Amino acid sequence: MGRTYYVEEDIGQYLSDLSTKFKPYVTGLLIGQCSSQRDYIIRAVRTPPKEEQKEGNTSPSKLESIDEEWINAHASQVSRMLPGGLLVLGVFIIATPELSKDSQNALRKIIFSIEKSLTKRRLWKPAEEEVSDRAALQVCSATKKIVCRTYDVQDPKSSAKPADWKYQSALSASWLSLDCTVNVNIHIPLLATSPNHDLEKNIKNGLNRWSKQIEDSIFLINGQIKDDTELLEGQKKLRGNTQYSTQISDIKVLTQLSQGSSHRSTATVQVCSGSINLKGAVKCRAYVHNNKPKVKEAVQALKRDIINTLNDRCEILFEDLIINEGPHKKSRNSWKNPFTFSSTSSLLNLILHCIWSLWCTKVS
């Protein structure tokens, strides 16, 4: 039995509008949330046109000319803007009947290409029981016929499986939102012993160590440590409605000071040319479906939003510095003087779902 996708009703009209405006085909992303029982798609976003395509609403006439790199870049930017609990859950293509035969192969290539691109940037690993199916939606621009299939992105040899596509009104209107704030104080040494150990790798290593602390942290929800029970257990429904009056904001994150005797580490002395200190507060938000959500699902969504938020902001903050370092992996002496963070940098409202500030100081 294939998966069932519950889809926001407005998406149907959005896809219909695209089918009349763009010929011979148009591609885009499907945004949503997956769970063990149901999958939800709450938004569809078409691939933005490149500069040379902005004059008219036409695409190249052959599917072989689909620019995977451009679609991957779009998926990466969209993924950066998504709050916890939401992800790029699939792709769609609206094509003329003449191109329909090759559309499924094009969708398969795009799905695996996007997943490979997004996986490279992640600091967390998917859980073993996590749903790895991604949706491939094919729409005929002439007949408006919809064909939905899924591919397992964890299996490179995965074949297409049929899936149901069901529209539902106000799908996400009563979803739960969870808010938390995490104080950040990360010290990243810049090693001098390895000339090839560049800035980007140093930052990545430092964030990897910090992300493991977040993954091992304990979350208090309304002052309690909850096991894998239903998140809404004990909550009251609104009168005459199936919706819950719930916005959980009393969430505290407790990180472990040590990893216990089973994970002992040995102190080492390293020669460094400088260091980077990341200090500030990360305010994050995650959304969870209201179909008997589990505490485990909510905590996982929050953890990933915390990790993704800091990782994305560091990419933005250090982007120019890393580019200036050049493709030849120049030594740190080449960037040490031109770019020094001596003042407080405040990054506010970069993404709608997350407001945070980051102070970064480089000590030479």
Side-chain angles (χ1 to χ4, degrees), residues 9 49 61 98 100 144 207 217 219 247 252 362:
E9 198 170 43
S61 58
E98 296 79 22
S100 296
K144 304 298 187 291
L207 293 180
S217 61
F219 279 61
Q247 180 172 358
K252 292 181 173 60
K362 173 175 166 276

Side-chain angles (χ1 to χ4, degrees), residues 29-42:
L29 306 174
L30 300 172
I31 311 301
Q33 184 175 109
C34 52
S35 67
S36 57
Q37 295 181 333
R38 291 185 177 185
D39 294 324
Y40 307 89
I41 294 178
I42 63 172

Side-chain angles (χ1 to χ4, degrees), residues 88-102:
V88 177
L89 201 55
V91 294
F92 70 83
I93 186 169
I94 304 173
T96 57
E98 296 79 22
L99 299 178
S100 296
K101 182 182 293 186
D102 299 323

Side-chain angles (χ1 to χ4, degrees), residues 170-217:
L171 178 65
S172 58
S174 58
W175 280 21
L176 309 173
S177 65
L178 304 96
D179 297 276
C180 74
T181 301
V182 178
N183 293 320
V184 175
N185 187 359
I186 306 174
H187 180 77
I188 303 176
L190 305 176
L191 303 180
T193 54
S194 176
N196 291 328
H197 211 74
D198 58 22
L199 174 65
E200 187 174 11
K201 192 176 293 183
N202 271 289
I203 296 171
K204 206 74 171 178
N205 288 342
L207 293 180
N208 268 316
R209 290 191 294 269
W210 173 81
S211 67
K212 289 177 182 177
Q213 285 186 327
I214 297 298
E215 289 194 277
D216 294 336
S217 61

